[in-house]
Amino acid sequence: MSQFLRPALSALDPYVPGEQPQDKRYIKLNTNENPYPPAPGVMDAITREAVSQLKLYSDPTIAPLKQAIADCYAIKPENVFVTNGSDEALGFAFLAYADGSHPVTIPDISYGFYKVFAQLFQVPPKVIPLREDFSLPVEKFCSAGSMVVFANPNAPTAIALPLSEVERIVAFNPEHVVLVDEAYVDFGGESALSLIDRYPNLLVVRTFSKSRSLAGARIGYAMGNPALIDDLERVRNSFHPYNINRLSMLAGVEAMKDTAYFEDCCQRIMKTRQETAKALIALGFTLTESSTNFLFAAPPGISGKEYYEQLKERGVLVRYFGTERLSPYVRITIGTDEEMAVLLSKTREILKEANP
């Protein structure tokens, strides 16, 4: 780093994305991407004519995509905020509702960007440890006295809270924003979206990266009371008013409109998840109950790190985190049936060598 970087930023511990190696071809089960392509309408929307219009700025109101999201969930466009990936929605929320004198309450094991944003924006975090079984201690998030941010279902643990418990947290923090990150909710979780009309402090954040197969398009969105959305628009228009490019907007509209394709992909992933979990348990793995498009799994007889390294040598990437509590585990994205068959085959090889 240079001598000019502010001291507060020189101490940053940035978010580390999952590996995106270019040196060889891997079966990538490490970044929770959707194994299936985007909806057919997305392909049709990206025409030569659409590309030719990249010479013009995109619509700063993001009106077509807001309307498509609102139509899908039977809400109003004024309930919708659209961002360049859900990380931008999270970052804008931290900017809007937390600072040095307004802390944020987060779980100790969850999406890594929560701690990064707290450090970046110099927000004191109130970090609440998960229970021994990785479940969220709901009572400790009630009456937190600060903005509350948590993922439901959680990552990397894959565990989901029932809606009644989410509502408890929202109801017990009426003076502070409660942000529920629902990046994985379409794979078996209960959404808090039904609560936004009853709780003006609730902000629900989602992404097109997982269930909508558009990780490369970088589209996220938040839904909540119009006053909260207005807050976030104020931040966006003070920082990045053209945050959604023309092609991503077209892709997002078509992906949101094709409900049948979306539901079919989610069902296929959940079926494959169930079958893979059953096979891993039969091999002696310890798994949490997953409501996501990944499994949080500890192999028998070897460390999580060794299992990750052995899989990588065999051309399969999974995610290893390496912190003390997570070190026995890896996170395994659910791919196609064929990809998961390869994972299981390589896993049997590894376990046979480790436990002859």
Side-chain angles (χ1 to χ4, degrees):
M1 66 188 72
S2 78
Q3 62 181 310
F4 308 108
L5 187 65
R6 290 195 292 117
L9 298 184
S10 65
L12 274 177
D13 185 15
Y15 177 74
V16 179
E19 296 170 87
Q20 300 284 355
Q22 307 299 318
D23 59 321
K24 61 179 286 188
R25 183 173 178 82
Y26 289 92
I27 292 177
K28 280 187 81 276
L29 306 177
N30 67 324
T31 49
N32 297 343
E33 294 146 322
N34 197 309
Y36 303 111
V42 173
M43 317 293 190
D44 297 335
I46 309 302
T47 62
R48 291 182 64 87
E49 172 63 22
V51 172
S52 75
Q53 295 304 304
L54 289 177
K55 64 187 178 183
L56 303 174
Y57 284 112
S58 56
D59 178 1
T61 71
I62 323 177
L65 186 48
K66 282 190 174 188
Q67 187 65 59
I69 294 169
D71 290 345
C72 181
Y73 296 116
I75 57 178
K76 297 178 180 178
E78 52 262 40
N79 295 118
V80 180
F81 178 65
V82 182
T83 55
N84 192 294
S86 61
D87 292 334
E88 190 175 69
L90 297 171
F92 287 164
F94 271 74
L95 274 172
Y97 305 116
D99 60 21
S101 57
H102 297 85
V104 62
T105 299
I106 58 176
D108 68 330
I109 297 173
S110 194
Y111 184 38
F113 245 127
Y114 305 154
K115 291 179 181 177
V116 172
F117 281 139
Q119 189 179 17
L120 176 63
F121 300 132
Q122 300 180 47
V123 175
K126 298 167 64 176
V127 181
I128 307 296
L130 298 183
R131 297 191 184 100
E132 190 66 26
D133 63 356
F134 296 113
S135 61
L136 191 83
V138 171
E139 63 281 354
K140 294 185 178 180
F141 285 81
C142 294
S143 303
S146 74
M147 178 185 180
V148 174
V149 177
F150 63 96
N152 191 48
N154 195 22
T157 65
I159 298 172
L161 281 177
L163 181 58
S164 59
E165 294 290 78
V166 174
E167 184 171 9
R168 277 184 63 200
I169 296 172
V170 178
F172 273 90
N173 290 282
E175 301 301 317
H176 301 279
V177 169
V178 176
L179 187 157
V180 184
D181 184 351
E182 294 188 346
Y184 301 101
V185 77
D186 294 321
F187 302 104
E190 288 186 275
S191 177
L193 181 59
S194 61
L195 304 177
I196 63 171
D197 287 336
R198 293 162 54 191
Y199 295 98
N201 62 322
L202 172 62
L203 190 66
V204 175
V205 173
R206 293 193 186 173
T207 178
F208 280 68
S209 296
K210 317 301 181 186
S211 56
R212 304 279 175 180
S213 303
L214 288 176
R218 310 310 304 131
I219 309 172
Y221 56 110
M223 297 174 286
N225 183 280
L228 291 183
I229 302 306
D230 186 64
D231 296 341
L232 296 173
E233 291 289 5
R234 179 179 294 267
V235 175
R236 181 179 74 90
N237 286 312
S238 301
F239 179 75
H240 194 190
Y242 298 105
N243 62 330
I244 304 298
N245 70 70
R246 283 176 166 270
L247 299 186
S248 289
M249 199 175 318
L250 290 172
V253 168
E254 294 302 323
M256 190 58 68
K257 283 165 56 177
D258 197 337
T259 302
Y261 182 82
F262 155 76
E263 290 178 349
D264 179 64
C265 286
C266 289
Q267 289 299 319
R268 292 167 71 184
I269 289 168
M270 287 188 283
K271 182 175 183 291
T272 303
R273 179 188 71 203
Q274 182 179 7
E275 293 170 350
T276 305
K278 183 178 179 180
L280 289 174
I281 290 169
L283 291 172
F285 278 70
T286 300
L287 275 69
T288 58
E289 185 70 29
S290 176
S291 297
T292 64
N293 68 336
F294 60 85
L295 297 170
F296 188 56
I302 60 173
S303 68
K305 182 178 182 181
E306 183 179 357
Y307 178 55
Y308 152 75
E309 290 173 344
Q310 290 290 325
L311 280 176
K312 186 174 181 180
E313 286 184 10
R314 290 166 168 81
V316 179
L317 284 179
V318 297
R319 188 77 189 266
Y320 174 69
F321 294 93
T323 59
E324 183 177 355
R325 285 188 67 187
L326 300 184
S327 60
Y329 292 83
V330 296
R331 191 190 68 192
I332 304 170
T333 302
I334 301 302
T336 63
D337 288 339
E338 294 76 16
E339 289 172 331
M340 304 317 286
V342 174
L343 169 83
L344 291 170
S345 175
K346 302 301 182 184
T347 296
R348 292 185 184 99
E349 291 178 12
I350 293 166
L351 296 182
K352 185 175 181 181
E353 290 180 8
N355 306 286

